[in-house]
PDB file of all heavy atoms in Angstrom:
ATOM      1  N   PHE A   1     105.806 291.879 149.402  1.00  0.00           N
ATOM      2  CA  PHE A   1     105.777 290.583 150.133  1.00  0.00           C
ATOM      3  C   PHE A   1     104.446 289.784 149.868  1.00  0.00           C
ATOM      4  O   PHE A   1     104.512 288.569 149.753  1.00  0.00           O
ATOM      5  CB  PHE A   1     106.047 290.781 151.603  1.00  0.00           C
ATOM      6  CG  PHE A   1     107.309 291.435 151.967  1.00  0.00           C
ATOM      7  CD1 PHE A   1     107.417 292.090 153.198  1.00  0.00           C
ATOM      8  CD2 PHE A   1     108.412 291.511 151.040  1.00  0.00           C
ATOM      9  CE1 PHE A   1     108.684 292.719 153.598  1.00  0.00           C
ATOM     10  CE2 PHE A   1     109.558 292.136 151.471  1.00  0.00           C
ATOM     11  CZ  PHE A   1     109.707 292.764 152.689  1.00  0.00           C
ATOM     12  N   THR A   2     103.387 290.531 149.895  1.00  0.00           N
ATOM     13  CA  THR A   2     102.052 289.886 149.636  1.00  0.00           C
ATOM     14  C   THR A   2     101.977 289.276 148.212  1.00  0.00           C
ATOM     15  O   THR A   2     101.496 288.238 148.018  1.00  0.00           O
ATOM     16  CB  THR A   2     100.925 290.893 149.803  1.00  0.00           C
ATOM     17  OG1 THR A   2     100.963 291.469 151.045  1.00  0.00           O
ATOM     18  CG2 THR A   2      99.593 290.311 149.579  1.00  0.00           C
ATOM     19  N   ALA A   3     102.612 290.001 147.283  1.00  0.00           N
ATOM     20  CA  ALA A   3     102.638 289.519 145.869  1.00  0.00           C
ATOM     21  C   ALA A   3     103.553 288.357 145.697  1.00  0.00           C
ATOM     22  O   ALA A   3     103.600 287.696 144.662  1.00  0.00           O
ATOM     23  CB  ALA A   3     103.108 290.602 144.933  1.00  0.00           C
ATOM     24  N   ILE A   4     104.373 287.940 146.705  1.00  0.00           N
ATOM     25  CA  ILE A   4     105.259 286.757 146.679  1.00  0.00           C
ATOM     26  C   ILE A   4     104.666 285.611 147.459  1.00  0.00           C
ATOM     27  O   ILE A   4     104.307 284.534 146.929  1.00  0.00           O
ATOM     28  CB  ILE A   4     106.630 287.122 147.255  1.00  0.00           C
ATOM     29  CG1 ILE A   4     107.409 288.171 146.368  1.00  0.00           C
ATOM     30  CG2 ILE A   4     107.479 285.835 147.298  1.00  0.00           C
ATOM     31  CD1 ILE A   4     108.598 288.660 146.997  1.00  0.00           C
ATOM     32  N   ILE A   5     104.431 285.735 148.815  1.00  0.00           N
ATOM     33  CA  ILE A   5     104.016 284.732 149.629  1.00  0.00           C
ATOM     34  C   ILE A   5     102.507 284.336 149.306  1.00  0.00           C
ATOM     35  O   ILE A   5     102.211 283.154 149.160  1.00  0.00           O
ATOM     36  CB  ILE A   5     104.100 285.069 151.100  1.00  0.00           C
ATOM     37  CG1 ILE A   5     105.579 285.485 151.467  1.00  0.00           C
ATOM     38  CG2 ILE A   5     103.610 283.927 152.013  1.00  0.00           C
ATOM     39  CD1 ILE A   5     106.569 284.400 151.236  1.00  0.00           C
ATOM     40  N   VAL A   6     101.581 285.304 149.360  1.00  0.00           N
ATOM     41  CA  VAL A   6     100.223 285.092 149.131  1.00  0.00           C
ATOM     42  C   VAL A   6     100.006 284.408 147.819  1.00  0.00           C
ATOM     43  O   VAL A   6      99.231 283.476 147.560  1.00  0.00           O
ATOM     44  CB  VAL A   6      99.377 286.310 149.293  1.00  0.00           C
ATOM     45  CG1 VAL A   6      97.953 286.074 148.802  1.00  0.00           C
ATOM     46  CG2 VAL A   6      99.412 286.693 150.829  1.00  0.00           C
ATOM     47  N   THR A   7     100.746 284.910 146.770  1.00  0.00           N
ATOM     48  CA  THR A   7     100.606 284.302 145.428  1.00  0.00           C
ATOM     49  C   THR A   7     100.926 282.923 145.387  1.00  0.00           C
ATOM     50  O   THR A   7     100.173 282.104 144.706  1.00  0.00           O
ATOM     51  CB  THR A   7     101.423 285.119 144.450  1.00  0.00           C
ATOM     52  OG1 THR A   7     101.020 286.635 144.482  1.00  0.00           O
ATOM     53  CG2 THR A   7     101.350 284.752 143.040  1.00  0.00           C
ATOM     54  N   ILE A   8     102.044 282.572 145.931  1.00  0.00           N
ATOM     55  CA  ILE A   8     102.476 281.192 145.900  1.00  0.00           C
ATOM     56  C   ILE A   8     101.477 280.209 146.599  1.00  0.00           C
ATOM     57  O   ILE A   8     101.154 279.206 145.991  1.00  0.00           O
ATOM     58  CB  ILE A   8     103.875 281.080 146.487  1.00  0.00           C
ATOM     59  CG1 ILE A   8     104.989 281.708 145.567  1.00  0.00           C
ATOM     60  CG2 ILE A   8     104.326 279.511 146.684  1.00  0.00           C
ATOM     61  CD1 ILE A   8     106.330 281.801 146.323  1.00  0.00           C
ATOM     62  N   VAL A   9     101.083 280.569 147.723  1.00  0.00           N
ATOM     63  CA  VAL A   9     100.213 279.643 148.572  1.00  0.00           C
ATOM     64  C   VAL A   9      98.821 279.522 147.872  1.00  0.00           C
ATOM     65  O   VAL A   9      98.299 278.396 147.724  1.00  0.00           O
ATOM     66  CB  VAL A   9     100.055 280.150 150.024  1.00  0.00           C
ATOM     67  CG1 VAL A   9      99.165 279.315 150.797  1.00  0.00           C
ATOM     68  CG2 VAL A   9     101.536 280.226 150.728  1.00  0.00           C
ATOM     69  N   ALA A  10      98.339 280.581 147.338  1.00  0.00           N
ATOM     70  CA  ALA A  10      97.002 280.605 146.625  1.00  0.00           C
ATOM     71  C   ALA A  10      97.061 279.791 145.376  1.00  0.00           C
ATOM     72  O   ALA A  10      96.142 279.154 145.130  1.00  0.00           O
ATOM     73  CB  ALA A  10      96.560 282.024 146.459  1.00  0.00           C
ATOM     74  N   ALA A  11      98.200 279.894 144.659  1.00  0.00           N
ATOM     75  CA  ALA A  11      98.420 279.179 143.495  1.00  0.00           C
ATOM     76  C   ALA A  11      98.375 277.665 143.770  1.00  0.00           C
ATOM     77  O   ALA A  11      97.777 276.814 143.036  1.00  0.00           O
ATOM     78  CB  ALA A  11      99.592 279.553 142.711  1.00  0.00           C
ATOM     79  N   LEU A  12      99.069 277.240 144.796  1.00  0.00           N
ATOM     80  CA  LEU A  12      99.212 275.830 145.163  1.00  0.00           C
ATOM     81  C   LEU A  12      97.977 275.166 145.624  1.00  0.00           C
ATOM     82  O   LEU A  12      97.544 274.093 145.301  1.00  0.00           O
ATOM     83  CB  LEU A  12     100.315 275.689 146.213  1.00  0.00           C
ATOM     84  CG  LEU A  12     101.783 275.721 145.764  1.00  0.00           C
ATOM     85  CD1 LEU A  12     102.742 275.726 146.951  1.00  0.00           C
ATOM     86  CD2 LEU A  12     102.096 274.469 144.813  1.00  0.00           C
ATOM     87  N   TRP A  13      97.121 275.909 146.534  1.00  0.00           N
ATOM     88  CA  TRP A  13      95.981 275.335 147.058  1.00  0.00           C
ATOM     89  C   TRP A  13      94.614 275.814 146.452  1.00  0.00           C
ATOM     90  O   TRP A  13      93.619 275.345 146.859  1.00  0.00           O
ATOM     91  CB  TRP A  13      95.983 275.572 148.641  1.00  0.00           C
ATOM     92  CG  TRP A  13      96.681 274.605 149.375  1.00  0.00           C
ATOM     93  CD1 TRP A  13      96.240 273.381 149.785  1.00  0.00           C
ATOM     94  CD2 TRP A  13      98.083 274.651 149.778  1.00  0.00           C
ATOM     95  NE1 TRP A  13      97.219 272.668 150.460  1.00  0.00           N
ATOM     96  CE2 TRP A  13      98.361 273.443 150.464  1.00  0.00           C
ATOM     97  CE3 TRP A  13      99.105 275.566 149.603  1.00  0.00           C
ATOM     98  CZ2 TRP A  13      99.597 273.175 150.989  1.00  0.00           C
ATOM     99  CZ3 TRP A  13     100.299 275.340 150.141  1.00  0.00           C
ATOM    100  CH2 TRP A  13     100.618 274.149 150.858  1.00  0.00           C
ATOM    101  N   GLY A  14      94.740 276.775 145.447  1.00  0.00           N
ATOM    102  CA  GLY A  14      93.441 277.245 144.887  1.00  0.00           C
ATOM    103  C   GLY A  14      92.936 276.265 143.824  1.00  0.00           C
ATOM    104  O   GLY A  14      93.532 275.178 143.591  1.00  0.00           O
ATOM    105  N   SER A  15      91.848 276.659 143.125  1.00  0.00           N
ATOM    106  CA  SER A  15      91.299 275.746 142.226  1.00  0.00           C
ATOM    107  C   SER A  15      91.452 276.253 140.819  1.00  0.00           C
ATOM    108  O   SER A  15      91.403 275.436 139.876  1.00  0.00           O
ATOM    109  CB  SER A  15      89.739 275.782 142.563  1.00  0.00           C
ATOM    110  OG  SER A  15      88.974 274.965 141.499  1.00  0.00           O
ATOM    111  N   SER A  16      91.615 277.562 140.588  1.00  0.00           N
ATOM    112  CA  SER A  16      91.754 278.110 139.229  1.00  0.00           C
ATOM    113  C   SER A  16      93.224 277.798 138.659  1.00  0.00           C
ATOM    114  O   SER A  16      94.195 277.940 139.385  1.00  0.00           O
ATOM    115  CB  SER A  16      91.562 279.515 139.217  1.00  0.00           C
ATOM    116  OG  SER A  16      91.741 280.085 137.876  1.00  0.00           O
ATOM    117  N   ARG A  17      93.286 277.511 137.415  1.00  0.00           N
ATOM    118  CA  ARG A  17      94.630 277.318 136.729  1.00  0.00           C
ATOM    119  C   ARG A  17      95.252 278.599 136.316  1.00  0.00           C
ATOM    120  O   ARG A  17      96.457 278.544 136.093  1.00  0.00           O
ATOM    121  CB  ARG A  17      94.348 276.362 135.471  1.00  0.00           C
ATOM    122  CG  ARG A  17      94.175 274.899 135.895  1.00  0.00           C
ATOM    123  CD  ARG A  17      93.943 273.966 134.671  1.00  0.00           C
ATOM    124  NE  ARG A  17      94.063 272.623 135.069  1.00  0.00           N
ATOM    125  CZ  ARG A  17      95.174 271.896 134.898  1.00  0.00           C
ATOM    126  NH1 ARG A  17      96.380 272.410 134.529  1.00  0.00           N
ATOM    127  NH2 ARG A  17      95.182 270.578 135.267  1.00  0.00           N
ATOM    128  N   VAL A  18      94.485 279.639 136.111  1.00  0.00           N
ATOM    129  CA  VAL A  18      95.182 280.819 135.644  1.00  0.00           C
ATOM    130  C   VAL A  18      95.042 282.089 136.532  1.00  0.00           C
ATOM    131  O   VAL A  18      95.679 283.042 136.349  1.00  0.00           O
ATOM    132  CB  VAL A  18      94.668 281.249 134.219  1.00  0.00           C
ATOM    133  CG1 VAL A  18      95.008 280.173 133.198  1.00  0.00           C
ATOM    134  CG2 VAL A  18      93.179 281.468 134.228  1.00  0.00           C
ATOM    135  N   MET A  19      94.234 282.024 137.575  1.00  0.00           N
ATOM    136  CA  MET A  19      94.052 283.140 138.456  1.00  0.00           C
ATOM    137  C   MET A  19      95.221 283.468 139.234  1.00  0.00           C
ATOM    138  O   MET A  19      95.933 282.575 139.767  1.00  0.00           O
ATOM    139  CB  MET A  19      92.863 282.939 139.401  1.00  0.00           C
ATOM    140  CG  MET A  19      92.507 284.140 140.174  1.00  0.00           C
ATOM    141  SD  MET A  19      91.084 283.985 141.192  1.00  0.00           S
ATOM    142  CE  MET A  19      91.799 282.996 142.513  1.00  0.00           C
ATOM    143  N   VAL A  20      95.669 284.640 139.303  1.00  0.00           N
ATOM    144  CA  VAL A  20      96.785 285.085 140.160  1.00  0.00           C
ATOM    145  C   VAL A  20      96.255 285.980 141.383  1.00  0.00           C
ATOM    146  O   VAL A  20      95.589 286.916 141.140  1.00  0.00           O
ATOM    147  CB  VAL A  20      97.772 285.919 139.268  1.00  0.00           C
ATOM    148  CG1 VAL A  20      99.012 286.352 140.098  1.00  0.00           C
ATOM    149  CG2 VAL A  20      98.141 285.169 137.946  1.00  0.00           C
ATOM    150  N   SER A  21      96.728 285.455 142.521  1.00  0.00           N
ATOM    151  CA  SER A  21      96.293 286.261 143.677  1.00  0.00           C
ATOM    152  C   SER A  21      97.446 287.142 144.214  1.00  0.00           C
ATOM    153  O   SER A  21      98.569 287.029 143.703  1.00  0.00           O
ATOM    154  CB  SER A  21      95.942 285.198 144.810  1.00  0.00           C
ATOM    155  OG  SER A  21      94.780 284.456 144.425  1.00  0.00           O
ATOM    156  N   GLY A  22      97.067 287.915 145.170  1.00  0.00           N
ATOM    157  CA  GLY A  22      98.054 288.885 145.683  1.00  0.00           C
ATOM    158  C   GLY A  22      97.282 290.163 146.206  1.00  0.00           C
ATOM    159  O   GLY A  22      96.120 290.097 146.426  1.00  0.00           O
ATOM    160  N   PRO A  23      97.978 291.229 146.384  1.00  0.00           N
ATOM    161  CA  PRO A  23      97.410 292.575 146.773  1.00  0.00           C
ATOM    162  C   PRO A  23      96.386 292.997 145.734  1.00  0.00           C
ATOM    163  O   PRO A  23      96.614 292.805 144.597  1.00  0.00           O
ATOM    164  CB  PRO A  23      98.541 293.451 146.974  1.00  0.00           C
ATOM    165  CG  PRO A  23      99.631 292.945 146.024  1.00  0.00           C
ATOM    166  CD  PRO A  23      99.427 291.477 146.030  1.00  0.00           C
ATOM    167  N   THR A  24      95.273 293.444 146.178  1.00  0.00           N
ATOM    168  CA  THR A  24      94.290 294.050 145.253  1.00  0.00           C
ATOM    169  C   THR A  24      93.820 295.418 145.705  1.00  0.00           C
ATOM    170  O   THR A  24      93.908 295.742 146.922  1.00  0.00           O
ATOM    171  CB  THR A  24      92.974 293.123 145.119  1.00  0.00           C
ATOM    172  OG1 THR A  24      92.229 293.153 146.364  1.00  0.00           O
ATOM    173  CG2 THR A  24      93.363 291.690 144.732  1.00  0.00           C
ATOM    174  N   THR A  25      93.237 296.208 144.831  1.00  0.00           N
ATOM    175  CA  THR A  25      92.823 297.575 145.195  1.00  0.00           C
ATOM    176  C   THR A  25      91.688 297.499 146.187  1.00  0.00           C
ATOM    177  O   THR A  25      91.700 298.293 147.188  1.00  0.00           O
ATOM    178  CB  THR A  25      92.282 298.219 143.898  1.00  0.00           C
ATOM    179  OG1 THR A  25      93.101 297.824 142.759  1.00  0.00           O
ATOM    180  CG2 THR A  25      92.356 299.733 144.089  1.00  0.00           C
ATOM    181  N   ALA A  26      90.668 296.709 145.965  1.00  0.00           N
ATOM    182  CA  ALA A  26      89.428 296.746 146.740  1.00  0.00           C
ATOM    183  C   ALA A  26      89.849 296.332 148.248  1.00  0.00           C
ATOM    184  O   ALA A  26      89.422 297.030 149.146  1.00  0.00           O
ATOM    185  CB  ALA A  26      88.439 295.723 146.211  1.00  0.00           C
ATOM    186  N   ILE A  27      90.570 295.259 148.375  1.00  0.00           N
ATOM    187  CA  ILE A  27      90.953 294.845 149.760  1.00  0.00           C
ATOM    188  C   ILE A  27      91.875 295.831 150.464  1.00  0.00           C
ATOM    189  O   ILE A  27      91.748 296.148 151.612  1.00  0.00           O
ATOM    190  CB  ILE A  27      91.640 293.486 149.769  1.00  0.00           C
ATOM    191  CG1 ILE A  27      90.494 292.407 149.387  1.00  0.00           C
ATOM    192  CG2 ILE A  27      92.257 293.115 151.004  1.00  0.00           C
ATOM    193  CD1 ILE A  27      90.976 290.976 149.419  1.00  0.00           C
ATOM    194  N   SER A  28      92.715 296.489 149.663  1.00  0.00           N
ATOM    195  CA  SER A  28      93.627 297.549 150.217  1.00  0.00           C
ATOM    196  C   SER A  28      92.800 298.642 150.812  1.00  0.00           C
ATOM    197  O   SER A  28      93.090 299.195 151.819  1.00  0.00           O
ATOM    198  CB  SER A  28      94.637 297.949 149.140  1.00  0.00           C
ATOM    199  OG  SER A  28      95.379 296.906 148.679  1.00  0.00           O
ATOM    200  N   ALA A  29      91.761 299.027 150.042  1.00  0.00           N
ATOM    201  CA  ALA A  29      91.000 300.126 150.406  1.00  0.00           C
ATOM    202  C   ALA A  29      90.174 299.768 151.664  1.00  0.00           C
ATOM    203  O   ALA A  29      90.002 300.648 152.577  1.00  0.00           O
ATOM    204  CB  ALA A  29      89.966 300.439 149.332  1.00  0.00           C
ATOM    205  N   VAL A  30      89.563 298.571 151.758  1.00  0.00           N
ATOM    206  CA  VAL A  30      88.859 298.094 153.012  1.00  0.00           C
ATOM    207  C   VAL A  30      89.842 298.030 154.204  1.00  0.00           C
ATOM    208  O   VAL A  30      89.422 298.453 155.280  1.00  0.00           O
ATOM    209  CB  VAL A  30      88.194 296.818 152.821  1.00  0.00           C
ATOM    210  CG1 VAL A  30      87.473 296.340 154.024  1.00  0.00           C
ATOM    211  CG2 VAL A  30      87.235 296.901 151.585  1.00  0.00           C
ATOM    212  N   MET A  31      91.018 297.569 153.956  1.00  0.00           N
ATOM    213  CA  MET A  31      92.037 297.568 155.068  1.00  0.00           C
ATOM    214  C   MET A  31      92.257 298.980 155.637  1.00  0.00           C
ATOM    215  O   MET A  31      92.246 299.173 156.865  1.00  0.00           O
ATOM    216  CB  MET A  31      93.353 296.980 154.523  1.00  0.00           C
ATOM    217  CG  MET A  31      93.390 295.556 154.151  1.00  0.00           C
ATOM    218  SD  MET A  31      93.576 294.386 155.582  1.00  0.00           S
ATOM    219  CE  MET A  31      95.296 294.642 155.962  1.00  0.00           C
ATOM    220  N   PHE A  32      92.492 299.904 154.691  1.00  0.00           N
ATOM    221  CA  PHE A  32      92.667 301.272 155.152  1.00  0.00           C
ATOM    222  C   PHE A  32      91.504 301.811 155.944  1.00  0.00           C
ATOM    223  O   PHE A  32      91.641 302.490 156.931  1.00  0.00           O
ATOM    224  CB  PHE A  32      93.127 302.082 154.035  1.00  0.00           C
ATOM    225  CG  PHE A  32      93.384 303.592 154.383  1.00  0.00           C
ATOM    226  CD1 PHE A  32      94.614 303.949 154.839  1.00  0.00           C
ATOM    227  CD2 PHE A  32      92.400 304.623 154.248  1.00  0.00           C
ATOM    228  CE1 PHE A  32      94.936 305.213 155.239  1.00  0.00           C
ATOM    229  CE2 PHE A  32      92.620 305.842 154.689  1.00  0.00           C
ATOM    230  CZ  PHE A  32      93.955 306.187 155.146  1.00  0.00           C
ATOM    231  N   ALA A  33      90.324 301.649 155.295  1.00  0.00           N
ATOM    232  CA  ALA A  33      89.144 302.204 155.934  1.00  0.00           C
ATOM    233  C   ALA A  33      88.864 301.579 157.351  1.00  0.00           C
ATOM    234  O   ALA A  33      88.366 302.207 158.283  1.00  0.00           O
ATOM    235  CB  ALA A  33      87.900 301.931 154.958  1.00  0.00           C
ATOM    236  N   SER A  34      89.191 300.247 157.449  1.00  0.00           N
ATOM    237  CA  SER A  34      88.935 299.631 158.723  1.00  0.00           C
ATOM    238  C   SER A  34      90.034 299.941 159.859  1.00  0.00           C
ATOM    239  O   SER A  34      89.638 299.997 161.012  1.00  0.00           O
ATOM    240  CB  SER A  34      88.977 298.169 158.545  1.00  0.00           C
ATOM    241  OG  SER A  34      88.076 297.712 157.519  1.00  0.00           O
ATOM    242  N   LEU A  35      91.265 300.186 159.406  1.00  0.00           N
ATOM    243  CA  LEU A  35      92.328 300.292 160.397  1.00  0.00           C
ATOM    244  C   LEU A  35      92.767 301.738 160.702  1.00  0.00           C
ATOM    245  O   LEU A  35      93.330 302.062 161.805  1.00  0.00           O
ATOM    246  CB  LEU A  35      93.658 299.496 159.947  1.00  0.00           C
ATOM    247  CG  LEU A  35      93.372 298.002 159.756  1.00  0.00           C
ATOM    248  CD1 LEU A  35      94.674 297.378 159.267  1.00  0.00           C
ATOM    249  CD2 LEU A  35      92.883 297.400 161.117  1.00  0.00           C
ATOM    250  N   SER A  36      92.482 302.658 159.669  1.00  0.00           N
ATOM    251  CA  SER A  36      92.975 304.003 159.838  1.00  0.00           C
ATOM    252  C   SER A  36      92.323 304.813 161.010  1.00  0.00           C
ATOM    253  O   SER A  36      92.840 305.749 161.606  1.00  0.00           O
ATOM    254  CB  SER A  36      92.707 304.808 158.571  1.00  0.00           C
ATOM    255  OG  SER A  36      91.337 304.849 158.239  1.00  0.00           O
ATOM    256  N   THR A  37      91.157 304.226 161.588  1.00  0.00           N
ATOM    257  CA  THR A  37      90.603 304.930 162.732  1.00  0.00           C
ATOM    258  C   THR A  37      91.096 304.350 164.019  1.00  0.00           C
ATOM    259  O   THR A  37      90.859 304.881 165.150  1.00  0.00           O
ATOM    260  CB  THR A  37      89.053 304.646 162.706  1.00  0.00           C
ATOM    261  OG1 THR A  37      88.802 303.258 162.677  1.00  0.00           O
ATOM    262  CG2 THR A  37      88.407 305.409 161.524  1.00  0.00           C
ATOM    263  N   LEU A  38      91.833 303.204 163.950  1.00  0.00           N
ATOM    264  CA  LEU A  38      92.455 302.588 165.108  1.00  0.00           C
ATOM    265  C   LEU A  38      93.838 302.888 165.341  1.00  0.00           C
ATOM    266  O   LEU A  38      94.379 302.916 166.514  1.00  0.00           O
ATOM    267  CB  LEU A  38      92.297 301.016 164.954  1.00  0.00           C
ATOM    268  CG  LEU A  38      90.887 300.467 164.775  1.00  0.00           C
ATOM    269  CD1 LEU A  38      90.971 298.993 164.577  1.00  0.00           C
ATOM    270  CD2 LEU A  38      89.925 300.856 165.866  1.00  0.00           C
ATOM    271  N   ALA A  39      94.644 303.298 164.322  1.00  0.00           N
ATOM    272  CA  ALA A  39      96.047 303.597 164.501  1.00  0.00           C
ATOM    273  C   ALA A  39      96.454 304.501 163.371  1.00  0.00           C
ATOM    274  O   ALA A  39      95.814 304.516 162.271  1.00  0.00           O
ATOM    275  CB  ALA A  39      96.928 302.318 164.590  1.00  0.00           C
ATOM    276  N   VAL A  40      97.644 305.070 163.467  1.00  0.00           N
ATOM    277  CA  VAL A  40      98.119 305.959 162.414  1.00  0.00           C
ATOM    278  C   VAL A  40      98.659 305.230 161.264  1.00  0.00           C
ATOM    279  O   VAL A  40      99.539 304.249 161.500  1.00  0.00           O
ATOM    280  CB  VAL A  40      99.317 306.928 162.959  1.00  0.00           C
ATOM    281  CG1 VAL A  40      99.850 307.777 161.874  1.00  0.00           C
ATOM    282  CG2 VAL A  40      98.713 307.718 164.007  1.00  0.00           C
ATOM    283  N   PRO A  41      98.133 305.301 160.005  1.00  0.00           N
ATOM    284  CA  PRO A  41      98.651 304.476 158.878  1.00  0.00           C
ATOM    285  C   PRO A  41     100.178 304.501 158.739  1.00  0.00           C
ATOM    286  O   PRO A  41     100.785 305.654 158.915  1.00  0.00           O
ATOM    287  CB  PRO A  41      98.008 305.205 157.709  1.00  0.00           C
ATOM    288  CG  PRO A  41      96.719 305.786 158.180  1.00  0.00           C
ATOM    289  CD  PRO A  41      97.133 306.242 159.611  1.00  0.00           C
ATOM    290  N   GLY A  42     100.737 303.361 158.527  1.00  0.00           N
ATOM    291  CA  GLY A  42     102.273 303.223 158.426  1.00  0.00           C
ATOM    292  C   GLY A  42     102.976 303.101 159.744  1.00  0.00           C
ATOM    293  O   GLY A  42     104.137 302.709 159.657  1.00  0.00           O
ATOM    294  N   SER A  43     102.293 303.302 160.818  1.00  0.00           N
ATOM    295  CA  SER A  43     102.962 303.197 162.115  1.00  0.00           C
ATOM    296  C   SER A  43     103.135 301.773 162.532  1.00  0.00           C
ATOM    297  O   SER A  43     102.482 300.893 161.955  1.00  0.00           O
ATOM    298  CB  SER A  43     102.248 303.894 163.246  1.00  0.00           C
ATOM    299  OG  SER A  43     100.932 303.284 163.382  1.00  0.00           O
ATOM    300  N   GLU A  44     103.954 301.410 163.579  1.00  0.00           N
ATOM    301  CA  GLU A  44     104.157 300.052 164.012  1.00  0.00           C
ATOM    302  C   GLU A  44     102.869 299.468 164.501  1.00  0.00           C
ATOM    303  O   GLU A  44     102.499 298.290 164.302  1.00  0.00           O
ATOM    304  CB  GLU A  44     105.219 300.008 165.116  1.00  0.00           C
ATOM    305  CG  GLU A  44     106.609 300.197 164.572  1.00  0.00           C
ATOM    306  CD  GLU A  44     107.659 300.101 165.673  1.00  0.00           C
ATOM    307  OE1 GLU A  44     107.286 299.507 166.737  1.00  0.00           O
ATOM    308  OE2 GLU A  44     108.856 300.464 165.405  1.00  0.00           O
ATOM    309  N   ALA A  45     102.076 300.261 165.264  1.00  0.00           N
ATOM    310  CA  ALA A  45     100.789 299.850 165.799  1.00  0.00           C
ATOM    311  C   ALA A  45      99.839 299.360 164.590  1.00  0.00           C
ATOM    312  O   ALA A  45      99.093 298.401 164.616  1.00  0.00           O
ATOM    313  CB  ALA A  45     100.109 300.819 166.638  1.00  0.00           C
TER     314      ALA A  45
END
């Protein structure tokens, strides 16, 4: 879903003509590191 919605909006309002946005490894890793201590990964919370 991130590779669909985020990609479209970033393409429309961004500045680069060829950059493609969406999910990335680094941000995914920070998300997990930040949230895994607050809730069980994959859970509704």
Side-chain angles (χ1 to χ4, degrees):
F1 298 161
T2 303
I4 296 172
I5 304 298
V6 169
T7 300
I8 292 173
V9 177
L12 281 171
W13 273 274
S15 178
S16 175
R17 283 181 167 265
V18 295
M19 187 177 76
V20 180
S21 295
T24 69
T25 323
I27 287 184
S28 300
V30 179
M31 291 278 289
F32 181 82
S34 304
L35 300 178
S36 57
T37 57
L38 303 176
V40 177
S43 64
E44 289 187 12

